[in-house]
Amino acid sequence: MKTEKKPNAEGLKYIIALAEINEGRPSATKVANKLGVNRSTVCRALAGYVAEGFLTDNFQFTLKGAHYIDICIERKESIFNALVSKGMSKEKAETSVMSILSCCDDETLDMLARSVDKLYDSRKKRLQKEKKKSFPGSKANDYLRVGNYTASFLFLK
């Protein structure tokens, strides 16, 4: 799926931060405060997204922008989780994933995201084949993606 715009790592960081603001209306000021930069820096970086039609003049996502950012966030989370699961620190993984997203073309990003998903699917299938009813909690990281799960449990005295 083509996302059309190939952002730089800094601009991508700001537009993703804009999308991840959960309290109130997202704004350049909130992004600047969250990332510890000047508001003018954020505005300059987001101006390209406004010109491309991904954001309105007051930095609200257009339909085109909402579609674009959904793809970006999905790819970011998939690649980030893979890097962390391989032992990379979260801080380094965050920096690396932004570089990957801004440097790689869409085809490469889709291939990376699919390969990460296949990795998790294969782990899940392996667990099902082993038909284990229980396993140590430390093994959960090997088999489950980051997220919320409902699970039955039993406390033994």
Side-chain angles (χ1 to χ4, degrees), residues 10 13-19 21 25-46 59:
E10 210 61 19
K13 179 171 60 172
Y14 297 143
I15 196 167
I16 288 175
L18 184 70
I21 291 175
R25 186 177 76 77
S27 68
T29 303
K30 288 181 182 179
V31 171
N33 292 339
K34 179 179 178 179
L35 299 176
V37 297
N38 287 329
R39 182 184 179 282
S40 61
T41 303
V42 174
C43 290
R44 275 193 304 276
L46 295 178
F59 302 126

Side-chain angles (χ1 to χ4, degrees), residues 25 39 43 47 50-51 55-60 62:
R25 186 177 76 77
R39 182 184 179 282
C43 290
V50 172
L55 296 171
T56 64
D57 289 338
N58 60 355
F59 302 126
Q60 300 300 303
T62 63

Side-chain angles (χ1 to χ4, degrees), residues 32-103:
N33 292 339
K34 179 179 178 179
L35 299 176
V37 297
N38 287 329
R39 182 184 179 282
S40 61
T41 303
V42 174
C43 290
R44 275 193 304 276
L46 295 178
Y49 291 99
V50 172
E52 292 283 330
F54 291 99
L55 296 171
T56 64
D57 289 338
N58 60 355
F59 302 126
Q60 300 300 303
F61 285 93
T62 63
L63 188 56
K64 178 181 175 182
H67 177 69
Y68 169 77
I69 199 64
D70 286 345
I71 292 169
C72 287
I73 290 173
E74 183 180 315
R75 288 173 175 164
K76 175 190 172 223
E77 289 173 355
S78 185
I79 296 168
F80 175 83
N81 290 335
L83 294 174
V84 170
S85 75
K86 292 295 184 185
M88 187 179 285
S89 72
K90 289 183 178 184
E91 294 79 22
K92 184 169 181 170
E94 185 71 31
T95 303
S96 296
V97 76
M98 289 309 218
S99 295
I100 290 168
L101 289 172
S102 63
C103 294

Side-chain angles (χ1 to χ4, degrees), residues 23 26 31 37 64 66 71 78 81 105 112 117 123 130 157:
E23 297 176 15
V31 171
V37 297
K64 178 181 175 182
I71 292 169
S78 185
N81 290 335
D105 61 32
L112 281 171
D117 290 338
R123 285 183 178 172
E130 293 171 5
K157 186 173 180 183

Side-chain angles (χ1 to χ4, degrees), residues 1-5 54 67-68 71 75 105-107 110:
M1 187 174 297
K2 195 153 180 74
T3 56
E4 297 172 27
K5 178 150 177 68
F54 291 99
H67 177 69
Y68 169 77
I71 292 169
R75 288 173 175 164
D105 61 32
D106 291 336
E107 183 180 358
D110 286 339

